[in-house]
Amino acid sequence: MSKTTTDGTRKAGDDQELGAAGSQLSTAPAEEGPNPPAMGVVGWVRWFWRQLTSMRVALLLLLLLSLGAIPGSLIPQTGVDATKVEQFYQDHETLAPVYEKLGLFHVYSSVWFSAVYILLFVSLIGCIVPRTWQFVGQLRGRPPRAPRRLTRLPAYTTWRTGAAPEEVREAALKLLRKRRFRAHRDGDAVAAEKGYLREVGNLAFHIALIVMLIAFGWGQLFKYEGNKLVLEGDGFSNTLTQYDDFKSGNLWSQDDLAPFSFTLKDFRGTYEPSGPNRGTPRTFEARITYSVGAYGKEKSTTVKVNEPLEIDGSKVYLVSHGYAPIVTVKDAEGDVVVDHEPFALLPLDANVTSSGAIKVMDGYRNAKGEKEQLGFNAFFLPTYGGKGSTMLSTFPALLNPMLALSAYHGDLGVDSGIPQSVYQLDDKNLKEFKDSKGELYKKQLKVGQTMTLPGGNGSVTFDGIQEWAGFQVTAQPGSGWALGGAVVAILGLAGSLFIQRRRVWVRAVAGADGVTVVELAGLGRSESAKLPEELGDLAGVLYDTFPEPTAEPTAEPTAEPTAERAEKK
């Protein structure tokens, strides 16, 4: 072979000289300068549309959307935790009103975030539609014909062979098709192109982004999420009033709740007994029976962590676990006010050290015969370390349970109309029971022990422990589409990055001396570093099939007539 060139540089006028062969190797629109139009409303509209659908603006909008999600993650959101928002108002009296005016407490439904979201959506559609039609046109067409001067292409090689041009072109066509090129014969050359999947990946990536945006928006508008603490033996029905806390999208309605109910039969949790992972859960599951609809057949199943129960588009997750001490409360006359009632306490650490409140709201009378309410701050340790140890559980299982109570009496504030947590005691209108030293009366109880209130005001007996499980019921339409879009986006991006689109031409013509001249040239995108290697490989196969002619040995001069030698010359 001879005259091999792999120079990747091209002059400004090369594309014009190459004609259709040097046309753009993608469907990406040519970037225009930011200069505004010279005149007319139509000109301004056209200029604005071109800017909006440009890659530069699309990336800018995507960056703005990412930046806008940051305050949604760092600042409390009203749709997620209204209590934290109220607390933020109390802690930051100057900053909170500013955040409210900027919509930072409801970022994802704010005007500015929605505007960026919609503009990005429009930008992607405006970019994809024309590129799709252009790509379809390219698929329906053929690779462009060979330029007149193949030497102007960045990868080029040539040699001479004794085979006929038609024979070389036919072999080149078969070879290129065997290498999965789209190839056809055009005059004295074979034109071929490969790497269309690059543009398929590019379009798939952008379409997947649109699918993800639609799925995300749809899911946010119609989603719902609620939490419910269920004691062993108790049940739950999927109605709005049954939830401990609940949040939903702006277009969600109660009719979207899937009709089902379930009963928690028992919770089972086992833990590593020793070693560096002591206390780590080994088994964490809830056995339930459930039914779908008003007259559905009851079924049994086990809900585990990351293995939810799926019912009509809703998922029931097991998210937490804890203990509920069972107590009996008697008044000053010895009458039972609370009879073996469990009070769920909330865990504070990995060893399920728990705290909460026990509230006696009705039926209690003190030693003077007056109606009052009782309140107890409760602290529960499933495994108490013993006398002198800290008030922290040493193991999450029930090895040595202990309940610590501190007693109050008076008004719990539950009749004031102001909502309060069932796990916290509002002692604003409560009085402390005092011990013999004049301090708050408190006592540590083991199962079966009784706390007698001072002044003959009744008693509290620790009867046992009941376990509870916390469930989260969620429904987010479009999550499957979002996942599918994410997978397609990754595959499409990988294809657009690693697949190179390139064109190859093979020309075979008879030279002035009758010997066939073979030319191979290739054109690819600027980052296609493998094009010279691929062209060299193709040329090597053709050269082995059609090598350069060997020089014939010079013959001894013979006695020929002068006229005959002159005629040969």
Side-chain angles (χ1 to χ4, degrees):
M1 271 180 273
S2 62
K3 296 183 181 180
T4 301
T5 304
T6 58
D7 184 11
T9 61
R10 295 168 63 187
K11 297 180 181 179
D14 284 356
D15 285 347
Q16 296 180 355
E17 184 175 335
L18 294 176
S23 61
Q24 199 172 1
L25 282 166
S26 73
T27 59
E31 291 287 346
E32 297 183 359
N35 298 325
M39 56 182 293
V41 176
V42 176
W44 277 101
V45 172
R46 184 181 293 113
W47 175 83
F48 177 78
W49 177 254
R50 288 177 179 175
Q51 298 304 311
L52 180 60
T53 57
S54 67
M55 184 62 67
R56 184 190 307 109
V57 173
L59 291 175
L60 177 61
L61 291 172
L62 190 60
L63 175 62
L64 290 177
L65 198 68
S66 302
L67 293 177
I70 293 177
S73 302
L74 300 179
I75 299 174
Q77 301 292 293
T78 53
V80 177
D81 196 334
T83 304
K84 288 186 177 180
V85 175
E86 292 296 329
Q87 186 64 41
F88 191 92
Y89 267 94
Q90 297 177 10
D91 298 339
H92 307 85
E93 296 181 357
T94 304
L95 194 59
V98 177
Y99 280 9
E100 179 63 34
K101 290 182 179 179
L102 294 175
L104 298 182
F105 291 124
H106 45 88
V107 168
Y108 303 111
S109 60
S110 63
V111 175
W112 58 269
F113 190 86
S114 300
V116 175
Y117 190 89
I118 294 173
L119 284 175
L120 178 60
F121 189 79
V122 173
S123 177
L124 288 173
I125 293 179
C127 181
I128 289 173
V129 171
R131 292 182 66 165
T132 302
W133 284 115
Q134 184 179 348
F135 183 61
V136 171
Q138 292 178 357
L139 290 178
R140 295 178 63 183
R142 287 184 169 186
R145 67 183 309 169
R148 184 169 55 87
R149 297 174 60 187
L150 292 178
T151 54
R152 303 301 299 270
L153 295 178
Y156 173 82
T157 186
T158 182
W159 74 93
R160 292 155 56 88
T161 182
E166 182 67 23
E167 187 180 355
V168 175
R169 289 194 291 266
E170 186 65 28
L173 181 64
K174 292 182 179 179
L175 174 62
L176 289 168
R177 287 178 176 175
K178 184 178 180 181
R179 298 292 180 91
R180 298 190 300 277
F181 279 84
R182 292 182 64 198
H184 71 103
R185 294 176 58 176
D186 188 359
D188 60 359
V190 175
E193 191 166 357
K194 188 178 183 181
Y196 288 89
L197 286 179
R198 175 190 179 92
E199 192 61 28
V200 172
N202 201 350
L203 292 174
F205 171 74
H206 287 84
I207 294 173
L209 285 182
I210 293 180
V211 172
M212 291 171 63
L213 287 174
I214 295 175
F216 175 77
W218 186 269
Q220 290 298 310
L221 290 173
F222 291 94
K223 74 173 184 178
Y224 76 85
E225 178 182 301
N227 294 286
K228 178 63 179 179
L229 186 152
V230 183
L231 293 166
E232 287 180 330
D234 286 353
F236 166 79
S237 180
N238 193 28
T239 58
L240 194 58
T241 56
Q242 287 276 301
Y243 285 98
D244 296 330
D245 61 83
F246 187 88
K247 54 181 178 287
S248 64
N250 294 335
L251 298 183
W252 177 88
S253 67
Q254 293 192 39
D255 296 334
D256 296 329
L257 286 173
F260 68 87
S261 60
F262 67 84
T263 300
L264 176 61
K265 291 302 182 180
D266 78 297
F267 176 87
R268 181 170 179 262
T270 59
Y271 310 90
E272 288 288 345
S274 60
N277 295 322
R278 184 176 187 272
T280 302
R282 298 176 60 183
T283 305
F284 205 75
E285 58 188 29
R287 187 170 62 86
I288 67 172
T289 58
Y290 71 96
S291 61
V292 180
Y295 305 102
K297 184 179 179 180
E298 194 172 80
K299 302 177 182 178
S300 298
T301 189
T302 300
V303 181
K304 302 178 182 180
V305 178
N306 297 325
E307 295 183 18
L309 170 65
E310 297 189 33
I311 304 174
D312 290 344
S314 298
K315 294 183 178 181
V316 182
Y317 289 91
L318 175 63
V319 294
S320 57
H321 158 257
Y323 299 102
I326 301 173
V327 299
T328 296
V329 180
K330 297 181 181 180
D331 63 8
E333 296 295 328
D335 296 328
V336 176
V337 181
V338 175
D339 187 12
H340 289 80
E341 183 174 339
F343 290 86
L345 306 182
L346 299 181
L348 301 175
D349 56 25
N351 287 326
V352 203
T353 302
S354 308
S355 69
I358 296 175
K359 300 180 181 181
V360 181
M361 295 175 282
D362 298 308
Y364 171 77
R365 291 181 180 272
N366 60 22
K368 298 179 181 180
E370 300 171 343
K371 288 185 177 182
E372 272 192 321
Q373 294 176 330
L374 293 179
F376 302 89
N377 276 325
F379 206 74
F380 178 74
L381 281 66
T383 302
Y384 178 46
K387 187 175 181 180
S389 64
T390 60
M391 288 295 290
L392 293 174
S393 177
T394 59
F395 197 73
L398 294 171
L399 301 182
N400 184 26
M402 187 272 288
L403 176 65
L405 298 176
S406 55
Y408 298 82
H409 65 101
D411 183 8
L412 293 172
V414 294
D415 300 323
S416 63
I418 301 175
Q420 60 176 245
S421 172
V422 296
Y423 306 108
Q424 294 180 341
L425 196 64
D426 183 3
D427 58 1
K428 181 178 180 181
N429 298 314
L430 292 176
K431 299 178 182 178
E432 299 177 350
F433 279 106
K434 303 291 185 179
D435 59 13
S436 58
K437 299 180 181 179
E439 297 179 354
L440 173 64
Y441 184 65
K442 50 190 176 182
K443 190 173 182 180
Q444 297 178 358
L445 303 175
K446 290 189 175 182
V447 177
Q449 293 183 340
T450 299
M451 175 185 186
T452 302
L453 299 176
N457 282 288
S459 63
V460 181
T461 302
F462 180 22
D463 297 315
I465 305 105
Q466 190 170 347
E467 296 189 60
W468 59 261
F471 296 92
Q472 184 178 80
V473 182
T474 65
Q476 187 162 0
S479 58
W481 285 96
L483 176 61
V487 173
V488 173
I490 293 173
L491 295 177
L493 183 61
S496 65
L497 291 176
F498 297 109
I499 298 175
Q500 300 299 330
R501 190 171 172 186
R502 59 273 193 200
R503 294 169 182 158
V504 172
W505 294 273
V506 181
R507 175 175 284 151
V509 295
D513 55 356
V515 179
T516 300
V517 178
V518 182
E519 292 181 290
L520 265 76
L523 177 66
R525 294 175 63 92
S526 59
E527 69 270 18
S528 182
K530 293 185 178 180
L531 178 61
E533 299 178 10
E534 186 172 30
L535 189 72
D537 182 48
L538 291 170
V541 175
L542 281 177
Y543 183 81
D544 291 340
T545 307
F546 306 105
E548 294 188 79
T550 57
E552 296 182 1
T554 304
E556 292 293 333
T558 58
E560 290 183 292
T562 305
E564 186 176 350
R565 290 201 304 269
E567 184 179 352
K568 288 184 178 180
K569 291 183 180 180

